[in-house]
Amino acid sequence: MINVLNIEYEKFKLNNNLDVVLYQDKSLPIVAVNIWYKVGSANEQKGKTGLAHLFEHMMFQGSEHVPKEMHFRYIQEAGGTLNGSTSIDRTNFYESVPSTNLEMVLWLESDRMGYFLPALSQEKLDNQIGVVSNERRQNYENQPYGLAWEKLFSTLYPENYPYHWPTIGWMKDIENYNLEDVKKFFNAFYSPQNASLVIGGNFEFAEAKDLVESYFGNIINKTEIPKLNVKPPKLTESNKVILKDDVQLPRLYLAWISDKAYGNDDAKLDILADILTGSKNSRLYKKLLIDKQIAQDVSAFQYSGNLNGAFIIVATPKPGVKLDVLKKEIFNQINFLLKSGITKGELRRSVNSYKSSFIYSLQNLDNLANQINNYNCFLNEPNSFIYDIGRYEKVTGKDVISVTEKYLNNNFVELNVMPNKKN
């Protein structure tokens, strides 16, 4: 198990500043290719939101030497899997294939990095605007509680702050994308100097290096990467927002501005969240669902990004229970935790729970390659597994109380999602 947490790797940069990390594991017959572009919804501008998510779709629509839809077909016919994802801070593309197909994957990824724009057309853009618009309707407008998260974050952060808008973008912005928007965004962010490439699995180091140099080495950087210059957000007062929705039961959301990813308090807040709602014996779960039976569900988590984080508690009441009753009991338990502290058993269970789930996730090569990329982009050290898990092992009971007092005593946003009267 220790080998999983202390990997051997090679890291190098091409002349165009593409970051490359090679992790070899010959016990598997496959190879994983994972590329992060350091661009997410935080890099967008007011009025042009959702472009990073749009590119998650557009990058599968073909490039100069790869016809539309063929990226999927080539990978799937080779017996592989692939996908992409977008967050507030990064866009990720990944493939897993039999190791004999490594060169094909590098060719596909390099072609859309270097030669995407020649294949871009108004028809393709219009098609994906329609796809993304439908995705937004299905997962946001027409989904129970689907608009809650964007309402919560748009209240938590000021209008021009990078985390104010949803990753998918506002519908009015999605419907008004044009080719010039897309070209400008691509040239600004989808370049070697703004990317990190991880290759993991069964391959030869020398061959992989040659292939990366051959396919990516001649791709040029078109512009300087726009920098984010923002002041840390601060809530000057607590805010309560009511959102009417087509739901059967109301739901309570509480959010506080917190520490960024890998910040000094990030792991401590993860442990706090687990102690509050991570198991049936956790503080809020036991009190709200078992002892008082006033809630159907409750969860807490630390959502951390590159700029800052948010500590969030979500709870759904039992039918007939008012949200104010739920809120009062949540704060009662937070205050009780502050006064009484936590037990050594609670802390030990929470840390062990995190460690076991973390280590288990690394048994999957795709997850492992993605975590290596995460460390490379956030910490500039691909082999940060022991450091990362050590952040949790070092958390003390006093640390948990300290971050509870530091963040949960601050101003916060309360969102009440309420059923429409017809329900």
Side-chain angles (χ1 to χ4, degrees), residues 300-329:
F301 58 95
Q302 157 72 355
Y303 180 70
S304 50
N306 195 40
L307 300 176
N308 65 272
F311 190 87
I312 298 170
I313 299 175
V314 184
T316 308
K318 285 276 186 85
V321 177
K322 301 294 186 182
L323 291 186
D324 283 344
V325 173
L326 214 53
K327 175 186 172 184
K328 181 180 179 180
E329 191 55 47

Side-chain angles (χ1 to χ4, degrees), residues 7 9-13 17-21 36 38 192-198 260-262 306 370-385 387-388:
I7 66 166
Y9 69 93
E10 288 193 25
K11 178 178 174 178
F12 60 96
K13 277 185 183 287
N17 283 326
L18 175 66
D19 236 358
V20 184
V21 181
W36 276 36
K38 300 170 192 176
Q193 65 185 347
N194 202 40
S196 174
L197 171 67
V198 171
K260 65 181 181 179
Y262 301 104
N306 195 40
N370 191 62
Q371 194 60 46
I372 291 171
N373 228 341
N374 179 299
Y375 292 146
N376 192 48
C377 292
F378 276 100
L379 303 173
N380 198 33
E381 172 48 68
N383 186 21
S384 290
F385 295 95
Y387 161 77
D388 193 6

Side-chain angles (χ1 to χ4, degrees), residues 118-305:
L120 178 63
S121 67
Q122 187 67 51
E123 180 184 3
K124 289 181 180 179
L125 177 59
D126 290 342
N127 175 267
Q128 291 309 302
I129 287 174
V131 170
V132 173
S133 297
N134 286 335
E135 180 184 346
R136 184 180 162 86
R137 292 187 192 98
Q138 181 177 345
N139 295 335
Y140 291 75
E141 275 90 352
N142 299 327
Q143 181 78 13
Y145 310 102
L147 296 174
W149 293 110
E150 65 180 42
K151 191 68 174 178
L152 187 69
F153 284 102
S154 63
T155 307
L156 187 64
Y157 298 119
E159 189 172 357
N160 290 315
Y161 192 74
Y163 294 165
H164 174 83
W165 46 85
T167 301
I168 198 170
W170 303 120
M171 182 64 91
K172 63 180 180 297
D173 294 343
I174 296 169
E175 293 173 340
N176 289 305
Y177 296 146
N178 59 57
L179 281 175
E180 191 57 35
D181 293 334
V182 174
K183 291 177 182 177
K184 184 177 179 181
F185 198 76
F186 180 85
N187 284 332
F189 296 107
Y190 295 82
S191 59
Q193 65 185 347
N194 202 40
S196 174
L197 171 67
V198 171
I199 302 173
N202 195 335
F203 62 89
E204 299 295 336
F205 281 113
E207 180 185 12
K209 287 181 180 179
D210 288 343
L211 289 173
V212 170
E213 179 63 50
S214 174
Y215 285 106
F216 291 89
N218 292 325
I219 301 175
I220 62 172
N221 298 302
K222 298 178 179 65
T223 63
E224 290 187 9
I225 303 167
K227 301 297 182 183
L228 280 175
N229 294 306
V230 294
K231 294 180 179 179
K234 186 176 182 180
L235 277 177
T236 56
E237 60 182 359
S238 292
N239 294 314
K240 181 177 180 179
V241 183
I242 296 175
L243 174 66
K244 295 294 184 69
D245 197 2
D246 292 328
V247 294
Q248 296 299 316
L249 291 172
R251 183 170 288 172
L252 174 68
Y253 296 76
L254 301 170
W256 295 261
I257 293 172
S258 65
D259 202 8
K260 65 181 181 179
Y262 301 104
N264 291 334
D265 295 330
D266 184 38
K268 301 168 189 176
L269 288 161
D270 277 335
I271 297 298
L272 169 62
D274 189 78
I275 287 170
L276 289 176
T277 66
S279 71
K280 290 183 178 180
N281 289 319
S282 59
R283 296 291 184 97
L284 290 180
Y285 188 99
K286 188 173 185 300
K287 182 60 67 173
L288 300 182
L289 274 74
I290 299 175
D291 294 347
K292 295 205 168 187
Q293 298 185 17
I294 59 174
Q296 288 204 152
D297 57 65
V298 62
S299 61
F301 58 95
Q302 157 72 355
Y303 180 70
S304 50

Side-chain angles (χ1 to χ4, degrees), residues 329-390:
E329 191 55 47
I330 288 172
F331 277 97
N332 283 344
Q333 289 304 306
I334 291 172
N335 290 329
F336 180 71
L337 186 148
L338 285 170
K339 292 177 181 178
S340 65
I342 62 172
T343 67
K344 291 181 179 179
E346 280 182 302
L347 180 61
R348 183 175 61 253
R349 284 192 297 270
S350 182
V351 172
N352 287 340
S353 174
Y354 173 82
K355 287 170 62 178
S356 63
S357 61
F358 176 71
I359 293 171
Y360 179 78
S361 72
L362 301 181
Q363 308 310 302
N364 178 282
L365 182 60
D366 282 333
N367 291 344
L368 181 61
N370 191 62
Q371 194 60 46
I372 291 171
N373 228 341
N374 179 299
Y375 292 146
N376 192 48
C377 292
F378 276 100
L379 303 173
N380 198 33
E381 172 48 68
N383 186 21
S384 290
F385 295 95
I386 293 176
Y387 161 77
D388 193 6
I389 211 164

Side-chain angles (χ1 to χ4, degrees), residues 33-35 81-85 92-96 109 366:
V33 175
N34 188 294
I35 189 164
T81 58
L82 72 164
N83 214 328
S85 65
N92 170 226
F93 298 99
Y94 51 98
E95 296 92 353
S96 181
E109 286 294 356
D366 282 333

